Structure formats: C-alpha cells, structure tokens
C-alpha cells in the first residue's frame, strides 16, 4: 500500500512512510517543546505525567541492564514512544502506520542490530565482545551468527506483519461490512499497537542486555559511561 | 511489500535523529525535572528531619524543664511541710505552755480561793467559838467567878519575878493610884483584898480608883500608869482571839 503513495523528488522517491515519520517527528518535537515548558512549572499535570512515564520506562530498562540504564534508556524510550505513536497512527482515517511498511521495520530492526553491537563493544571492548560469539565453544559461532540474523529478521517481520495485517483486516472489513463495523478491530488495533511497541522495545532491550551480560557483574564501571 | 533501500537508510537516519532530538529536548529536561523533584523531596525530607530533630530537642528540653520543675516542686513541698511541721510544733509548744501557765494560774487561784475560804471558814469558826465562849462566859459570870479570878490574880502577882515587881513599883510611885476596872461594882471585901495584895506585893500604900465596865464580863483590870494587869474574861478572850489569829 505504502509503496503506491509517496513523493518523488527528481530521481528520488520518498515513500509515504517516510513522510509520515517526518510528520510524526515534527509532532514529537513540538510536543517535547510543550512538555519542556511545562516542566518548568511546579505541580503541573503534564510535568507529573512526563516524569511518571519516563520513570516507568527508566525502571523497566534498569531491571534488565541496571548498570547501563542511563546509556540505554534514551534509545529504548525513543523506540517505545516512536513505535506507540507510529502504530496508533493507522487508526487515523487516511493515514497509515509507518510500521506497516517493511522497509521501516527493517530499518528499525537494523538499528536494534547495530545498537546491540554498539553497546556491547562500547562497554566490553571489541575483543572481549567478539569473544562472546565463541563462548561457550567456537563451534557455537555459526549459531550465534544465525541467531543475530534471525532475531533481526523476526523483529522486522513481526512488527510489520502485525500492524500491516490489522490495517488490512480493518480495510477489508470496512469495504465488505461498511462503516463502524471495523470498530472492534480498531480497538484490537489499539491494543495490538501498544503490545507490539512494548514487545519490540523489550526485545531490543533484552538483546542489548544479552550483549552486556558479561559486564553486568561489574555494575560500577558502566554506570558512569553516559 | 518490497524493501526500499532508500527508505531503510532514511528511516535509520530518521530514528537516530529522533533519538538525539528526544534526548536533547525531552529526556534530559524530564531527567532534570525528576532530579529537581528528587532534590526538593530530599530537601523537604531533610527539613522534616531537622524539624523532627528540633522538635525532639525541644521536647527533651521541655521534659528536662518539667523534671526540674517537678524536683523543685517536691523540694519546696518538703520545705513547706518541714516549715509547717516546725510551726505546728511551735504552736503546739506555745499552746501547751499557755495551757500549763493557765493551769498553774487556775491552780494558784484555786489555792488562793481555797486558802481564803479556809481562812474565812476558820475566822467564822473562830468568831463562832469566841461568841460561843463569850456567851458561855456571860452566863457563867458572877460574883463567884469574880472572886475566883481575883484569887487567880493574887496567885499570879505573887509569882511575878522581881524585875516585874520593880517595874510595877516604879510605875506606882509615879502614879500614886491604881485604876481598878471591873465588870460590876466590886464588893468592899474584894476591893480590900485587892488593896492588901497590891500593898503586900509592891510594899507601898496605894490608892484605889474603881471603874465599872460591863465589857469585861467578869474579873478586873488594873491600870498602873502605863502598865495594865489583866484578870478578866474580856481581856482573856482577846488574848485567846489573838492567839487563835496568830496560830492561823
């Protein structure tokens, strides 16, 4: 679907998903500026809500990587916020979720893939991090490599498949049954959007945590590397 | 469902930019707000702890003052009790002393009253006895008793010591006469007897002068100048009365 919509600038074709993402980014930036002003006020409900939401996300990250949560939290929190909003965007008539585009979810999965190695190498060092692929036995190296590829693919396809299928189902039901009939499916979309965003972020967090597991026994070293 | 490399690359770039933007404009301000709130909470907690500590110190100070006041109260109560005890003891001593003095005074008054009563009773008894005696002697008075008294006078004057006789003789020489006072007119025989007795004892001639005084009851009273010889019941009664009074 999304492939058919977009913007062509010269020889470049900007997909609708990218345009939607940019609009979403602008909205998030504006909302950040709004929240930033509210944060300067005492006992403001927006401030309180923002603090609560951030604290919840930070605590969730802290439970998995207690020594590196200050490094990892911005990445995971951005993932959760972006995915929740991107997934819910499909509920607005006339718009499509960017995450219903496999290219977008693939890009996100590649970012997660890269971030796992980035955090691992940054905190463990290249040599020690690469030794992780040879543990417990060098024979495990192919399996580790297959695991890296498969879980990245799974991340991309799981999110894409869920969001795309829900949008497709809502569209089909709307075409077949008419107005208001897809409302239950839209409710399901609402729940599914939250769940898929949570799953994507938690899996990314777990992958990062797995890459840092050799270091988690030394909590004082990584906590200062913000 | 085709993969678009440009979209993938731009999505990666978008997301990295988004991470930077959110971290710069959302997460850091939120973290700063949380830190401020945490700092405010810690400050409030410290203030509360400080206030609690101040309250505890104040409570201890007040408790200490209360304890001091309590001890001071107990001490002053003890002092007051001791003072009251002393004052009560002094008051009791004073009351006892006053009671003792009053008792002594009353005893003295009672003794005085008793003595006065006793004296009055004795005087009354004495006067009664004297009156009774006087009545009895008045009934016994008569010529016979006058004679008996005259005889007794003769015996007594004969037994006078020489010094007393000389005094009588001297007084008689100056006076030359003897006043004889009797309760009733003396018979001549008794007058003569008296003259004989006096001349015999004093060795001089004497002149008798007679006088009647019924108060004498019976007997005579001889007056020789400043000297008086008693041989009558009235004077004896007076002597008796004086003796009684002296004895009492």
């Amino acid at each position: 679907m999304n492939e058919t919509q977009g913007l062509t600038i010269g020889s470049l074709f900007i997909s609708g998903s990218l345009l939607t993402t940019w609009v979403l980014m602008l909205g998030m930036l504006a909302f950040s500026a709004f929240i930033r002003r509210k944060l300067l006020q005492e006992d403001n409900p927006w401030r309180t809500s923002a603090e609560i939401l951030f604290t919840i996300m930070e605590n969730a990250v802290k439970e998995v990587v207690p020594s590196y949560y200050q490094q990892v939290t911005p990445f995971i929190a951005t993932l959760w916020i972006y995915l929740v909003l991107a997934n819910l965007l499909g509920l607005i008539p006339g718009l499509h979720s960017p995450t219903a585009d496999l290219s977008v979810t693939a890009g996100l999965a590649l970012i997660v893939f890269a971030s796992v190695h980035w955090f691992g190498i940054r905190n463990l060092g290249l040599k020690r991090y690469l030794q992780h692929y040879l543990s417990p036995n060098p024979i495990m190296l192919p399996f580790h490599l297959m695991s890296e590829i498969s879980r990245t693919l799974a991340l991309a396809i799981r999110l894409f498949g869920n969001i795309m299928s829900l949008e497709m189902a809502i569209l089909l039901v709307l075409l077949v049954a008419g107005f208001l009939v897809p409302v239950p499916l839209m409710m399901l979309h609402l729940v599914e959007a939250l769940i898929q965003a949570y799953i994507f972020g938690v899996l990314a967090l777990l992958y990062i945590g797995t890459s840092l597991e050799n270091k988690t026994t030394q909590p004082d070293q990584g906590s200062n590397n913000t | 469902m085709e993969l678009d490399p440009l979209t993938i690359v731009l999505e990666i770039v978008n997301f990295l930019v988004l991470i930077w933007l959110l971290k710069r404009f959302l997460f850091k301000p939120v973290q700063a707000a949380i830190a401020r709130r945490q700092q405010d909470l810690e400050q409030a907690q410290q203030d509360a702890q400080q206030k609690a500590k101040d309250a505890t110190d104040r409570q201890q100070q007040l408790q200490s003052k209360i304890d001091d006041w309590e001890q001071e109260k107990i001490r002053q109560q003890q002092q007051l009790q001791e003072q009251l005890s002393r004052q009560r003891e002094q008051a009791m001593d004073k009351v006892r002393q006053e009671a003792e003095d009053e008792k002594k005074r009353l005893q003295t008054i009672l003794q005085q009253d008793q003595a006065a009563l006793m004296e009055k009773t004795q005087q009354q008894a004495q006067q009664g006895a004297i009156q009774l005696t006087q009545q009895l002697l008045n009934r016994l008075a008569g010529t016979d008793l006058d004679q008996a008294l005259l005889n007794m006078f003769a015996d007594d004057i004969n037994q006078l010591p020489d010094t007393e006789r000389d005094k009588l003789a001297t007084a008689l020489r100056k006076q030359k006469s003897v006043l004889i006072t009797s309760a009733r007119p003396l018979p001549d025989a008794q007058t003569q007897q008296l003259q004989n007795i006096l001349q015999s004892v004093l060795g001089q001639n004497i002149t008798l002068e007679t006088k009647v005084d019924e108060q004498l009851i019976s007997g005579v009273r001889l007056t020789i100048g400043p000297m008086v010889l008693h041989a009558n019941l009235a004077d004896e009664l007076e002597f008796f009365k004086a003796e009684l009074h002296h004895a009492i």
Side-chain angles (χ1 to χ4, degrees), chain A residues 3 13 15 18 21-22 25 28 36 39 47 51 54-55 74-75 77-79 82 103-104 107 111 160, chain B residues 1-4 6-8 10-12 14-15 18-19 22 25-27 29-31 33-34 36-37:
Chain A
E3 291 85 346
F13 176 75
S15 67
L18 279 177
T21 300
W22 286 339
M25 287 173 63
M28 292 169 70
R36 196 177 180 185
L39 289 173
R47 175 187 172 177
E51 288 178 359
F54 184 82
T55 304
F75 175 67
T78 305
L79 259 182
Y82 172 73
S103 299
V104 172
I111 289 174
F160 161 71
Chain B
M1 204 177 80
E2 294 177 358
L3 285 175
D4 179 14
L6 181 62
T7 302
I8 294 173
L10 289 180
E11 181 63 28
I12 292 171
N14 283 345
F15 192 78
L18 183 62
I19 291 174
L22 290 184
F25 295 107
L26 184 61
F27 297 151
V30 171
Q31 284 178 318
I34 292 173
R36 283 201 309 272
R37 187 183 292 275

